[in-house]
Amino acid sequence: MYIERLSTGVPELDAMLEGGIPKGFMVAVTGEPGTGKTILCLHFIAQGVIERDKCIYVTTEESRESIITQAAQFGFDFSSGISEKKMIIIDALMGRQDEWSLQSLDVEELMNKIIEAKKTLGHGRARLVIDSLSAFWLDKPAMARRYSYFVKKVLAKWDFTIMATSQYAITTSEAFGWGIEHIADGIIRFRRFVRNGFLRRYILIEKMRQTNHSLQLHEIIILPGKGLTIVGPVEMRKEDIALPKHIMERIQRSMERKETEIP
Ligand SMILES: Nc1ncnc2c1ncn2[C@@H]1O[C@H](COP(=O)(O)OP(=O)(O)O)[C@@H](O)[C@H]1O
Ligand SMILES: [Mg+2]
């Protein structure tokens, strides 16, 4: 059966996805800060402009200007996209009074603004990025799942294929960020490790409904002028993610010490 798929804008990632993300899906893009979530979203929107999709980018952590500048570094001309009415960036950070700004991180306000933007751009296949969606329930993590479901339901009628980023941090409560992953049709997870003193980034497709997708972790690099690039598949060995041996030994010794100190 033929399934219409939208290119992510990263050819090697499309190949890992049997061609791309099935039309109409809501995909959770998740991972620690600085791993490449926003950059993948920029590719997805830039590809949408090329394919003449209606494109909407909601930004909560960076201003509209910062998104435009970052996109330009990879050769994506978002300024022209906006002036040619092919895309709209909804700014949820600066709280300005212009037409495409949000006054607060309120899910209902967000839905209204997205629908208004879609009506402005017109009928037809559309791409939506919400970067990040988890920001809308920062102060009420217990609502994550309910809000995620609400967003998916409201937007279902509007011909969107969606990338919604979700931040998770080891230090925050478990509820944080999880809502999106539970209701998403797909999950793309970014990881990072420091190996031999260098930051390395990885991507893993954890879920994509209706898709015989790659199950392998792939290393990525972010290149000026090009953006997110897949280096190739990796096999994670225990040594890659474990702490260095001398540190493990130190931890072991201190644990033994603690035991002997117990009266
Ligand atoms: N022009 C550039 N050239 C090379 N690397 C870049 C460039 N711009 C950003 N990066 C890299 O991308 C990282 C930010 O990735 P980003 O997608 O914003 O992370 P997040 O997962 O937090 O959204 C930066 O920390 C930097 O390492
Ligand atoms: Mg980001």
Side-chain angles (χ1 to χ4, degrees):
M1 214 194 93
Y2 171 74
I3 292 176
E4 183 178 347
R5 294 176 187 272
L6 281 78
S7 165
T8 59
V10 180
E12 307 97 319
L13 183 58
D14 290 344
M16 290 160 64
L17 286 164
E18 288 193 302
I21 297 167
K23 179 177 175 284
F25 272 24
M26 177 163 171
V27 174
V29 176
T30 182
E32 298 128 290
T35 44
K37 301 182 296 297
T38 295
I39 292 170
L40 174 61
C41 292
L42 299 178
H43 280 273
F44 182 64
I45 290 296
Q47 186 64 28
V49 173
I50 292 169
E51 296 186 23
R52 300 185 169 280
D53 293 333
K54 319 293 172 195
C55 297
I56 301 171
Y57 194 110
V58 180
T59 174
T60 63
E61 266 105 66
E62 290 175 59
S63 67
R64 180 182 298 126
E65 292 72 23
S66 169
I67 290 296
I68 293 171
T69 303
Q70 177 78 87
Q73 291 185 343
F74 304 127
F76 310 144
D77 185 1
F78 281 13
S79 298
S80 302
I82 293 168
S83 56
E84 289 163 15
K85 307 222 169 351
K86 291 174 182 159
M87 66 177 287
I88 289 172
I89 301 180
I90 298 173
D91 187 323
L93 179 73
M94 305 302 282
R96 282 184 294 233
Q97 293 296 327
D98 68 70
E99 193 182 7
W100 302 118
S101 285
L102 292 184
Q103 301 309 308
S104 61
L105 288 173
D106 175 75
V107 182
E108 250 173 81
E109 192 188 339
L110 171 71
M111 292 300 100
N112 290 334
K113 198 59 95 180
I114 289 170
I115 291 165
E116 206 182 310
K118 177 65 172 70
K119 285 178 178 167
T120 303
L121 292 169
H123 283 289
R125 204 175 80 166
R127 293 177 187 232
L128 169 66
V129 162
I130 308 176
D131 182 20
S132 68
L133 184 52
S134 50
F136 287 84
W137 47 80
L138 257 179
D139 52 352
K140 30 188 182 309
M143 296 292 282
R145 209 159 160 179
R146 191 174 305 173
Y147 278 160
S148 300
Y149 182 67
F150 173 71
V151 167
K152 192 179 183 187
K153 203 171 160 183
V154 171
L155 296 179
K157 305 185 228 21
W158 294 90
D159 215 356
F160 283 120
T161 302
I162 305 170
M163 270 191 191
T165 73
S166 160
Q167 297 190 336
Y168 80 102
I170 313 296
T171 48
T172 50
S173 87
E174 286 220 14
F176 190 79
W178 273 101
I180 308 164
E181 278 142 292
H182 278 297
I183 57 98
D185 302 295
I187 302 172
I188 297 176
R189 185 181 303 278
F190 287 87
R191 305 288 315 265
R192 64 169 184 211
F193 296 106
V194 176
R195 265 171 59 188
N196 303 325
F198 274 94
L199 177 68
R200 290 173 186 268
R201 301 182 175 98
Y202 304 88
I203 193 169
L204 180 68
I205 301 160
E206 282 192 0
K207 172 180 180 177
M208 194 62 67
R209 287 188 175 130
Q210 302 167 17
T211 309
N212 179 27
H213 60 84
S214 161
L215 302 174
Q216 215 172 346
L217 189 72
H218 281 66
E219 182 163 1
I220 60 166
I221 43 169
I222 297 163
L223 295 172
K226 195 161 188 279
L228 200 157
T229 310
I230 307 236
V231 179
V234 286
E235 250 180 78
M236 268 299 171
R237 296 161 305 167
K238 203 165 119 251
E239 307 84 89
D240 292 333
I241 48 175
L243 293 168
K245 198 159 173 271
H246 67 278
I247 296 181
M248 287 307 291
E249 283 167 358
R250 210 184 301 159
I251 293 171
Q252 184 67 34
R253 273 198 305 274
S254 83
M255 277 163 61
E256 285 165 5
R257 230 188 351 263
K258 243 197 222 139
E259 268 170 35
T260 55
E261 279 165 9
I262 292 170

